[in-house]
Amino acid sequence: MTDKTLELAAELIRRPSVTPEDHGCQDLMIEHLEAIGFQVTRLRFADVDNFWGQRGDSSPLVVFAGHTDVVPTGPLESWVSDPFEAKVRDNFLWGRGAADMKSSLAAFVTAIEDFVTANPDHKGSIGLLITSDEEGPSINGTVKVVQWLEQQKIKIDYCIVGEPSSQDTLGDVIKNGRRGSLNGKLRIKGKQGHVAYPHLAANPIHLAAPAIEELCRMQWDNGNEYFPATTFQIANLQAGTGAENVIPGELSMQFNFRFSTCVTEAELKERVARVLDKHQLDYELDWRLSGNPFLTPVGELVDAARDAIQEIAGLETTLSTSGGTSDGRFIAPMGAQVVELGPLNRTIHQANECIATDDPARLSHIYRLILEKLLT
């Protein structure tokens, strides 16, 4: 390999940083950053390594955010080569994290190196927010670093998250927002009994069925120009003792809302409770918010990203808010403009994850051009 971004991506892949382990990835990045004048603060919370790096102390502050941790490999026999060998073959770089998101991390570093070399006295500041807790519970990673930044009174103006956003070709899609995610754990109580004597029992499955049907049929909102309509999905449904002649005493259900900016967390909770109460169910319901929806309207950052993609990749990018959650949900509430821009997502979390060998360098050029548009 002769391309420096590809080489750095391969070096990062060779560090088996299965969440929440960092396995030296951050040390490698910090070594590059300190060499070009970054002040780096390591931030370890519980078992999670994070760092904040910054060059400059004036505004605007442009931040690259990402994660060094990767998901487990799954069965090794499903891979055509060792997932942590970083093998180049058939014009692709293969390995766990190639697309999600070690190529983005490498592109962050080389883009900043090239930009600083060409613009040593650039205006504003450049920051990096890196965690090893994005693929895990996301408790001691970006959310804690954001709290630390707020304590330090550091305000992010623009943030590029390196998540794999592209669909068919590099840069064809960028995320300028994400839906919120609200999880519910519902327990509906009945009375256990013998199936031959249903009058002596209360079957929670039968009792809950009309309410569940109503929840599944409900139109929660109509979405808007940026977000699809909010969706309700049942993830798990359990009841019974395993015996065919026993009416269960309780039904457990886990469900999730992926919700738009057209509805609030409080409104969703209230509407679910209203349905359950209408059907006179005896229930307990626990809620967990994974993140609220966020949106970055067309403005300085979106324009800079679009223009950079047009110049480097020669295409018109599409704005999207589809997909799951990302750490952007923790950064956007700071008042920052946030976009997600990274490699193709076609092989992420799969065996034989890979990225085209040209894409890390092209992504680096796009990131550098965004810096030029915002900081020169």
Side-chain angles (χ1 to χ4, degrees):
M1 288 181 287
T2 57
D3 179 272
K4 64 180 181 180
T5 310
L6 186 66
E7 289 177 354
L8 182 54
E11 284 190 62
L12 290 167
I13 291 169
R14 293 187 188 107
R15 289 159 168 79
S17 55
V18 176
T19 190
E21 296 296 327
D22 169 70
H23 239 286
C25 292
Q26 293 180 21
D27 289 339
L28 179 59
M29 296 180 69
I30 289 170
E31 180 182 343
H32 281 259
L33 295 168
E34 288 182 335
I36 54 172
F38 272 75
Q39 300 297 313
V40 175
T41 303
R42 297 174 186 267
L43 298 164
R44 184 172 174 86
F45 301 110
D47 60 345
V48 174
D49 289 308
N50 312 278
F51 79 81
W52 169 256
Q54 185 170 337
R55 187 182 196 275
D57 55 12
S58 60
S59 62
L61 172 56
V62 181
V63 171
F64 294 93
H67 60 90
T68 56
D69 59 321
V70 298
V71 296
T73 63
L76 293 178
E77 58 269 22
S78 298
W79 290 75
V80 295
S81 58
D82 187 321
F84 296 114
E85 187 178 352
K87 194 82 169 177
V88 173
R89 187 180 65 259
D90 301 327
N91 296 318
F92 283 88
L93 173 64
W94 304 79
R96 175 58 82 222
D100 190 12
M101 54 176 286
K102 291 185 175 180
S103 292
S104 296
L105 299 178
F108 288 170
V109 172
T110 59
I112 294 168
E113 287 176 330
D114 291 345
F115 174 77
V116 168
T117 298
N119 304 277
D121 300 316
H122 62 82
K123 70 177 185 180
S125 308
I126 306 171
L128 276 95
L129 192 168
I130 306 297
T131 182
S132 62
D133 185 39
E134 197 275 343
E135 299 290 9
S138 299
I139 293 172
N140 293 304
T142 299
V143 64
K144 291 282 183 69
V145 178
V146 166
Q147 292 170 1
W148 179 85
L149 290 172
E150 290 174 334
Q151 292 168 0
Q152 306 302 310
K153 302 190 183 309
I154 296 173
K155 181 183 182 301
I156 298 174
D157 296 291
Y158 308 113
C159 182
I160 301 101
V161 182
E163 290 292 346
S165 62
S166 302
Q167 183 172 315
D168 296 314
T169 187
L170 183 68
D172 62 349
V173 176
I174 59 175
K175 310 283 188 178
N176 66 320
R178 291 281 192 160
R179 293 176 295 174
S181 178
L182 178 63
N183 303 282
K185 184 178 287 186
L186 175 66
R187 291 172 300 281
I188 296 175
K189 300 174 185 178
K191 183 179 180 182
Q192 185 173 310
H194 197 293
V195 295
Y197 302 95
H199 59 288
L200 300 177
N203 192 320
I205 302 173
H206 296 184
L207 295 172
I212 292 173
E213 181 187 13
E214 185 171 345
L215 291 170
C216 291
R217 286 190 291 103
M218 286 185 74
Q219 183 75 25
W220 303 93
D221 61 41
N222 295 314
N224 56 34
E225 62 177 314
Y226 292 106
F227 290 94
T230 293
T231 60
F232 168 87
Q233 287 294 315
I234 297 171
N236 285 289
L237 193 64
Q238 295 178 321
T241 64
E244 60 186 12
N245 60 350
V246 177
I247 293 171
E250 183 175 290
L251 178 146
S252 297
M253 185 173 86
Q254 291 176 295
F255 60 89
N256 175 269
F257 285 103
R258 292 300 164 105
F259 64 104
S260 76
T261 50
C262 297
V263 67
T264 67
E265 170 195 0
E267 289 169 339
L268 293 173
K269 290 179 177 179
E270 189 275 332
R271 291 177 66 183
V272 170
R274 194 188 313 159
V275 170
L276 299 175
D277 292 340
K278 184 180 79 172
H279 291 276
Q280 300 181 329
L281 297 173
D282 183 5
Y283 68 91
E284 295 176 359
L285 178 54
D286 297 322
W287 294 98
R288 183 177 64 83
L289 179 69
S290 296
N292 277 306
F294 70 89
L295 177 69
T296 296
V298 173
E300 299 91 345
L301 181 57
V302 169
D303 287 345
R306 277 174 158 172
D307 291 346
I309 292 166
Q310 176 64 48
E311 291 185 38
I312 301 301
L315 53 84
E316 296 289 335
T317 195
T318 299
L319 299 180
S320 172
T321 60
S322 65
T325 59
S326 79
D327 277 0
R329 69 190 189 273
F330 303 127
I331 300 168
M334 301 179 74
Q337 295 182 35
V338 179
V339 298
E340 298 174 27
L341 167 56
L344 272 65
N345 55 28
R346 188 176 302 153
T347 62
I348 62 173
H349 292 209
Q350 298 180 19
N352 301 311
E353 182 179 351
C354 61
I355 182 173
T357 51
D358 290 342
D359 280 356
R362 295 173 68 219
L363 186 58
S364 177
H365 294 328
I366 291 170
Y367 289 156
R368 176 185 171 178
L369 198 51
I370 292 173
L371 285 173
E372 290 178 353
K373 292 178 181 300
L374 295 175
L375 296 183
T376 60

